Amino acid sequence: MTANSFKRNRLIVLFLLGFVFALLFVKVYQNTKDKYDYIRQHHPQTVVKIAKNIFELNSKETQQLKTDATKEIEKNEKKIEEKIIEEKQEEEKQGAGDMLAQDDSWIKIQHQRQQRLREFCAKKDLKKLPKPKYEHNWIYSDKARVSYCSIPKVACTTWKKIFQVFYGNYRTIQDIKVSKDDVHELKYQYHMGLNIYKANLKTEQYFNFIIVRHPLERLVSGYRNKIEKPFNANFQRRFGSLMLRFNRNNLTEQEYRAGKGVTFHEYINYIIKTPMNKIDEHFGGMQELCHICNTKYDFIADMSTLYDDSDIILKQIGWYDRLQFPKKSKDNYVKGAVDIAPEYINRLSDKILNKVYEKFRDDFEAFGYKFDIKEIRKGTFY
């Protein structure tokens, strides 16, 4: 072997060693993404420079460089982490600035909702209104310092899961594996478990909120979820049976008890002609459940802006950094109630729709929902 060949082979070996070391160097930073991203974004020349220098060193120098590089990495690790944290904090400040820019928007909307409710209540004789009575739909969390009047068919199942996280019973909403019906059977802090003085304090001193929904959209949701294709057949047997007995007189006792086959028209007819205090909470008025004129609400959320409103609530109580309202919280239907509602509503005559409006007039007026039959038939609820 000639001297030139030996020299050339030696260079090849050194080149390969250098290439392997460069790969090892990159691999170190792949294991910690934030650190690697920071170096790659701010000092891309570092990797190239090290690889280039390695080619010119012998194996002993290569080992020394590896040792020195490790020490240098350890030395600068804290600085890199501090820089990453600093940049993240800067991004958060920027995000907060963006939020502040949007504040005027949601505050204005909230002011409008609160003003409508005040105007509605101003027309009522408060002395004639029933005294507030806390039922099972009122829950609170001492840890989160929040109070909530839940209304069936208005995201109450998802929000009750959030309360389970408040209580510390689950780390995340996704950890709650029980069925939708069983969510309501979990343990909660109820206002009704307190004396009236303490219960009132929870609504006055804690962040008190409510979530509402367009009455017609909510009626469609109640029909689909509880009567037409129920998640729980017991509910269908209980209330479907009442509706069949109310509308038909030609069925067998077995058919009545099964509660199946109630049409949307029969469902609405039962609701229109049944006193509000006799209607189940899944189909009855919202304002009846949450004595809205006797209670101060810090925030009125709406199903039409559910995700944004829920984020605002979590931010207001200081929990947004720990959990967010899940964006996939709908029932397992191909179409949501707001999308398919016209299909059901168009089965009803204008006369019937006007009767529905009269039945739920308080909900329409208290929460500012328009009642325009032509627009509703096209699916425009808000």
Side-chain angles (χ1 to χ4, degrees):
M1 182 181 294
T2 65
N4 289 336
S5 297
F6 179 82
K7 186 176 181 180
R8 183 172 61 254
N9 290 339
R10 183 171 179 274
L11 288 173
I12 291 172
V13 171
L14 288 174
F15 176 85
L16 292 174
L17 285 172
F19 181 75
V20 170
F21 180 73
L23 290 177
L24 288 173
F25 183 84
V26 172
K27 185 65 176 178
V28 169
Y29 289 94
Q30 286 179 329
N31 291 335
T32 308
K33 187 176 183 300
D34 283 346
K35 296 174 185 176
Y36 175 69
D37 285 344
Y38 178 81
I39 292 175
R40 186 185 63 185
Q41 294 172 10
H42 295 81
H43 304 286
Q45 71 277 11
T46 300
V47 176
V48 177
K49 184 177 180 181
I50 290 175
K52 182 178 179 182
N53 290 339
I54 289 173
F55 301 157
E56 301 173 0
L57 300 174
N58 57 29
S59 59
K60 183 177 180 179
E61 291 171 330
T62 300
Q63 183 60 39
Q64 184 62 43
L65 178 60
K66 181 178 179 181
T67 302
D68 293 343
T70 301
K71 290 181 178 180
E72 188 66 22
I73 291 170
E74 292 175 351
K75 180 180 178 181
N76 292 324
E77 190 175 53
K78 188 175 181 179
K79 291 183 178 180
I80 293 173
E81 289 178 346
E82 290 175 350
K83 184 65 177 176
I84 292 172
I85 292 173
E86 182 181 335
E87 290 183 350
K88 286 184 176 179
Q89 289 176 339
E90 189 62 33
E91 290 176 359
E92 289 175 359
K93 288 180 180 179
Q94 181 63 40
D98 293 340
M99 184 63 191
L100 287 174
Q102 298 172 2
D103 275 356
D104 288 345
S105 175
W106 76 261
I107 289 176
K108 182 179 180 181
I109 292 172
Q110 190 60 210
H111 174 75
Q112 291 172 344
R113 292 174 183 172
Q114 296 279 0
Q115 183 61 27
R116 287 193 208 101
L117 184 55
R118 283 193 292 270
E119 291 174 356
F120 168 80
C121 293
K123 300 175 184 177
K124 299 290 182 179
D125 185 347
L126 298 184
K127 294 181 179 179
K128 294 182 179 180
L129 292 177
K131 291 183 178 180
K133 183 180 179 181
Y134 296 102
E135 300 289 355
H136 66 279
N137 59 309
W138 282 86
I139 60 177
Y140 67 92
S141 166
D142 286 325
K143 188 175 181 180
R145 294 186 63 80
V146 63
S147 170
Y148 167 48
C149 180
S150 65
I151 298 175
K153 306 314 304 167
V154 193
C156 66
T157 301
T158 304
W159 262 103
K160 283 189 174 181
K161 289 182 179 180
I162 291 176
F163 269 76
Q164 288 296 316
V165 179
F166 289 160
Y167 298 148
N169 296 335
Y170 297 89
R171 190 175 64 84
T172 67
I173 297 174
Q174 290 70 29
D175 293 336
I176 304 175
K177 304 300 183 182
V178 300
S179 69
K180 291 172 68 69
D181 285 333
D182 287 341
V183 168
H184 303 283
E185 302 304 319
L186 298 174
K187 292 183 178 180
Y188 296 90
Q189 293 179 315
Y190 292 101
H191 293 68
M192 67 180 183
L194 306 171
N195 62 48
I196 190 65
Y197 172 74
K198 290 183 178 179
N200 286 337
L201 281 181
K202 298 299 181 186
T203 62
E204 293 170 6
Q205 296 181 351
Y206 287 2
F207 187 87
N208 192 36
F209 74 97
I210 185 176
I211 308 174
V212 296
R213 189 177 194 176
H214 193 288
L216 283 171
E217 183 190 341
R218 182 168 171 259
L219 283 171
V220 170
S221 178
Y223 173 71
R224 296 174 76 203
N225 183 251
K226 300 299 180 183
I227 303 299
E228 184 182 36
K229 297 178 181 179
F231 286 105
N232 188 331
N234 291 329
F235 205 99
Q236 185 184 53
R237 285 192 291 269
R238 180 182 175 188
F239 294 100
S241 176
L242 288 176
M243 294 172 187
L244 287 176
R245 292 181 190 279
F246 187 87
N247 287 282
R248 305 186 200 181
N249 57 10
N250 59 347
L251 300 181
T252 65
E253 185 61 26
Q254 185 177 359
E255 289 173 325
Y256 281 129
R257 289 182 179 180
K260 295 182 179 180
V262 177
T263 67
F264 187 64
H265 187 278
E266 290 172 332
Y267 163 77
I268 292 297
N269 189 49
Y270 167 82
I271 290 173
I272 289 173
K273 296 179 180 179
T274 302
M276 191 65 85
N277 61 357
K278 300 291 185 181
I279 300 175
D280 181 75
E281 61 185 14
H282 290 81
F283 319 120
M286 295 181 287
Q287 60 92 22
E288 299 270 338
L289 288 172
C290 296
H291 35 83
I292 56 177
C293 291
N294 299 101
T295 304
K296 175 189 69 68
Y297 285 99
D298 297 292
F299 197 88
I300 302 172
D302 193 281
M303 197 71 172
S304 64
T305 52
L306 176 63
Y307 298 139
D308 290 340
D309 287 349
S310 295
D311 284 349
I312 292 170
I313 291 169
L314 290 169
K315 287 174 182 176
Q316 291 296 306
I317 63 175
W319 275 73
Y320 186 73
D321 60 332
R322 284 171 272 187
L323 78 160
Q324 286 82 47
F325 190 91
K327 298 302 183 282
K328 294 182 179 180
S329 59
K330 296 180 178 179
D331 291 332
N332 296 322
Y333 293 111
V334 176
K335 291 184 178 180
V338 69
D339 299 315
I340 204 169
E343 179 183 320
Y344 290 85
I345 291 171
N346 287 333
R347 301 174 191 174
L348 306 176
S349 66
D350 287 0
K351 182 179 179 180
I352 294 297
L353 285 176
N354 278 306
K355 288 183 178 181
V356 172
Y357 172 74
E358 290 301 323
K359 186 77 174 185
F360 293 89
R361 178 188 285 272
D362 280 351
D363 284 351
F364 277 95
E365 293 184 356
F367 305 116
Y369 295 119
K370 296 179 180 179
F371 182 72
D372 185 323
I373 293 180
K374 290 183 179 179
E375 291 300 316
I376 288 173
R377 289 194 184 283
K378 292 188 294 185
T380 304
F381 292 91
Y382 301 95

